[in-house]
Amino acid sequence: MAFNLDALATVVLDDSIKGIPFGAKLGFADVAAQGWNMLAGDLPLPAAVIRADALAHNSRWMQRFVAERGALIAPHVKTTMCPQIIARQIADGAWGVTVATVQQMRVCRTFGADRIILANQAVGRAELDAIAAMVKAPDLDFMMIVDSAAGIEAAAETVRRNQLDRPLQLLLERGYPGGRTGCRTNDIAIALARQIRAAPELRLVGIETFEGLIKTENGSPDQAVGAFMDEIATLFGLCANEDLFESDAPVITAGGSSYYDIVIDGLARCGARVVTRSGCYVTHDSGLYQSAHERLQAKTGAQDGLRRALEIWAYVQSIPEPGLALLTAGRRDCGTDSGFPVPLLLSRAGARPQDLPAGCEIVNLNDQHAYMRFPIDLPLAVGDRVGLGISHPCTTFDKWQIIYLVDDDYRVMEAMKTFF
Amino acid sequence: MAFNLDALATVVLDDSIKGIPFGAKLGFADVAAQGWNMLAGDLPLPAAVIRADALAHNSRWMQRFVAERGALIAPHVKTTMCPQIIARQIADGAWGVTVATVQQMRVCRTFGADRIILANQAVGRAELDAIAAMVKAPDLDFMMIVDSAAGIEAAAETVRRNQLDRPLQLLLERGYPGGRTGCRTNDIAIALARQIRAAPELRLVGIETFEGLIKTENGSPDQAVGAFMDEIATLFGLCANEDLFESDAPVITAGGSSYYDIVIDGLARCGARVVTRSGCYVTHDSGLYQSAHERLQAKTGAQDGLRRALEIWAYVQSIPEPGLALLTAGRRDCGTDSGFPVPLLLSRAGARPQDLPAGCEIVNLNDQHAYMRFPIDLPLAVGDRVGLGISHPCTTFDKWQIIYLVDDDYRVMEAMKTFF
């Protein structure tokens, strides 16, 4: 996988962007030399920071986890849309990158990505023509998803309309009843696979699914996700037996950030190249994926697991009642779809952060405020800084154009840009 | 109020930004000449569009509403953070602009705003020094909020540290028990007002509150909000009687986007300059504020009211089960804090949009997908376009760097930039 950060060289940061200090105007290469330190008050708050050690650890941890089990990873970069993070994932051995939209694909191409999975069925003419324009570059290994005859026909028509000299590579999406996209049965899927096989403009190179939203009973996903993986493996076998794949190494790709262990286990014996697509592991979180990871560690015995890397820092702006603090961060700064952020750390007057005691809880968010309940014996003051953990990194990343990479002392090592 | 869009002249749009067509690279002045039409497939979807006629109507409507009642408006521009929209609000007669953060203030200053209310207590040293740097410009009439002795002392210290040659103008914030920021009683507030009056670095110029989150019984806010406005009016009178205001025309500012009619009525007789701060009116919505506006219209008899201006358009990407469509827009594209988006319009193959029938409903959102249930007799197809209304514009605006101003035929008239 190729990837480079050359395209960042011309980007200028200025203080019209949330999180950039007042008066600053500089390029990415000049950020480290500013000597900014979050604890010293050099950054306006709220600010989003990523702990460098945890990020590096997580990237290596996941690469090792999949490699030890014979799988590959094409991390879903929709999570971060941050080229500087993607570059680390690739340097650590990612097989490719996964994207959700053509805009995300375009950004990855700008930074030189040469193996891209579009994990959605593209349907608009503008989107399909953009894909065709990018696929004309011979260095690009590109796969995209279809789950319907309409999607297959649109893909074939795109090849003809754009006079592409090679077929589009498709992954057939299998879903499950009550789920998101994807064929609901293997019978439906097989019929579409035959249709792809018959189209000279198209090439079936594998099966795709997304198991991350499967409802689990009693919090134990093994049975439900495992049974679904059996169906996926069966579909792969049926397609292989009918010689429907036009690839030397057909792929099964699955695996969000919750159940990738079950995915890899469930698909290990079916002869496919297994490509996981987790995205959230790279920063991990303090909610949804922390819980999922505790289950995975208990089951697999995986040691020295993923670490929380992403924190949102805010000021205590007001303590209008005993035990209620309003913080200067809100739902425009932290994702809330998987739970409110979690108060973790307190820094007073620039001091090294201490763990907040039990009983600190975010009980509500407005656009620009968080309501934190705290024990009345905690000597909290207006102007103190609070570090929040988040649940589900995707919807926090997209609220920031710039996230700071910091060392253990919260010194800014790098400004990292997102593309949303 | 001054405001100009000169600073947009150097901004370049390119296809790394969600919503910009593949391959495009252009300035704002060149957008109209592209002849882009959303219905013709010229824009990648999802795309956010604002109907030009509705936007213009709403801006004028609100200005007339407040002017007829003897009030002023300093619209909360945190809603849109879009200079092109703010310019219209000011051209239509806005008295000033309201912001939530120093970054928002900075953006408004970049575009020349010369009367700014910071509707939050600034507490960080970096934030306060940035304010001081901006306030040194003699053309700026600036007011900010305090609700504590700590906030007052920080403001005074800022004046001293930065050797400002004029006092900082403060608005004292009154809140209510169980609410957000602000003093909980008039006794507390009066004590702070005296403290401000005694500080040579500071000048009390009015009272501020935010009533928009007051819990109402039976959906009728008149009594609860009205009673709170009585307390605000009382506080204003107490401060005036003690000569605590250092202004020829002290201000009471209140009024979110739900109850501004009750605010204006409740404060009309207290002798203050009443400044409302609604932000969401300018695009209105299809949820929270639509309901609030129906109440307001029923009560005030206001005619030809606010119109829905903001829509998110997406493709039908998949119909994996009868009556279930997956759309190419998710919670990264639409705010969800006040309800899921509302399916309103359907366009097939570029045809003029038709109203969707009853029974179409968004039942879930993922990051990049919306789950729409629809009546099985609706002939919906993969590739159709669906127009979504949203609830609470603030948290949709912040998900887009570019929103298109369109005419009634969805031709792009302008690309409008947000600053988050």
Side-chain angles (χ1 to χ4, degrees), chain A residues 83-212:
Chain A
Q84 292 137 302
I85 293 178
I86 301 168
R88 286 155 198 264
Q89 294 171 300
I90 290 171
D92 284 331
W95 180 72
V97 295
T98 302
V99 297
T101 69
V102 172
Q103 177 258 341
Q104 293 175 7
M105 176 181 173
R106 171 59 168 169
V107 171
C108 288
R109 279 300 284 167
T110 298
F111 289 92
D114 58 9
R115 182 174 292 120
I116 301 177
I117 298 172
L118 174 59
N120 270 309
Q121 180 166 268
V123 293
R125 181 172 166 146
E127 286 79 354
L128 286 160
D129 286 347
I131 289 168
M134 287 186 268
V135 167
K136 282 181 178 169
D139 71 308
L140 178 61
D141 184 16
F142 174 72
M143 289 147 270
M144 70 177 193
I145 282 170
V146 291
D147 77 349
S148 66
I152 292 169
E153 182 43 42
E157 168 60 22
T158 300
V159 173
R160 293 192 294 269
R161 186 170 64 241
N162 290 276
Q163 301 181 308
L164 294 186
D165 60 7
R166 56 173 173 161
L168 272 173
Q169 300 186 126
L170 301 185
L171 299 164
L172 183 59
E173 183 171 49
R174 174 67 208 277
Y176 52 87
R180 198 161 69 187
T181 52
C183 307
R184 291 325 198 217
T185 68
N186 282 351
D187 285 349
I188 298 171
I190 280 281
L192 293 179
R194 291 174 187 142
Q195 189 180 337
I196 298 167
R197 184 69 173 92
E201 303 90 346
L202 306 173
R203 183 181 286 166
L204 183 66
V205 296
I207 305 294
E208 185 273 351
T209 193
F210 178 57
E211 78 298 330

Side-chain angles (χ1 to χ4, degrees), chain B residues 298-376:
Chain B
K299 182 185 169 205
T300 65
Q303 298 297 306
D304 192 18
L306 298 174
R307 302 176 191 164
R308 174 193 84 237
L310 179 58
E311 298 167 1
I312 306 298
W313 281 81
Y315 282 111
V316 175
Q317 179 180 72
S318 178
I319 304 179
E321 298 177 11
L324 174 67
L326 278 298
L327 311 182
T328 61
R331 56 189 165 217
R332 288 183 140 176
D333 310 300
C334 311
T336 57
D337 54 281
S338 301
F340 286 154
V342 184
L344 297 171
L345 296 165
L346 173 64
S347 168
R348 310 197 63 172
R352 194 171 176 76
Q354 306 291 320
D355 288 344
L356 278 166
C360 293
E361 184 188 7
I362 302 296
V363 295
N364 194 12
L365 289 178
N366 295 159
D367 290 354
Q368 317 265 173
H369 296 85
Y371 296 65
M372 183 175 84
R373 291 277 171 204
F374 64 94
I376 54 172

Side-chain angles (χ1 to χ4, degrees), chain A residues 15-18 22-23 41-45 78-80 100-101 103-104 106-107 120-121 123-127 130 133-134 147-148 150-151 176-182 184 213 315-318 320-321 324 326 328 331-332 337 366-369 371 382-383 392 394-395 397-399 401 419-420, chain B residues 15-18 22-23 41-45 78-80 100-101 103-104 106-107 120-121 123-127 130 133-134 147-148 150-151 176-182 184 213 315-318 320-321 324 326 328 331-332 337 366-369 371 382-383 392 394-395 397-399 401 419-420:
Chain A
D15 61 5
S16 72
I17 301 168
K18 183 173 71 168
F22 178 80
D42 298 326
L43 304 179
L45 301 189
K78 67 138 186 165
T79 297
T80 70
T101 69
Q103 177 258 341
Q104 293 175 7
R106 171 59 168 169
V107 171
N120 270 309
Q121 180 166 268
V123 293
R125 181 172 166 146
E127 286 79 354
M134 287 186 268
D147 77 349
S148 66
Y176 52 87
R180 198 161 69 187
T181 52
R184 291 325 198 217
L213 300 169
Y315 282 110
V316 174
Q317 179 179 73
S318 178
E321 299 177 12
L324 174 66
L326 279 297
T328 62
R331 56 188 165 218
R332 287 181 142 178
D337 54 281
N366 295 159
D367 290 354
Q368 317 264 175
H369 296 85
Y371 296 65
V382 169
H392 185 193
C394 299
T395 45
F397 268 97
D398 61 22
K399 292 173 175 59
Q401 294 188 53
F419 287 85
F420 291 104
Chain B
D15 60 5
S16 71
I17 302 168
K18 183 174 71 166
F22 178 80
D42 298 327
L43 304 180
L45 302 189
K78 66 136 187 166
T79 297
T80 70
T101 68
Q103 176 259 341
Q104 293 174 8
R106 170 61 170 167
V107 170
N120 271 308
Q121 179 166 268
V123 292
R125 182 173 166 145
E127 287 78 355
M134 288 187 267
D147 76 349
S148 67
Y176 51 88
R180 199 162 68 188
T181 52
R184 290 327 198 216
L213 300 169
Y315 282 111
V316 175
Q317 179 180 72
S318 178
E321 298 177 11
L324 174 67
L326 278 298
T328 61
R331 56 189 165 217
R332 288 183 140 176
D337 54 281
N366 295 159
D367 290 354
Q368 317 265 173
H369 296 85
Y371 296 65
V382 170
H392 185 191
C394 299
T395 45
F397 268 96
D398 61 22
K399 291 172 176 59
Q401 294 188 51
F419 286 85
F420 290 103

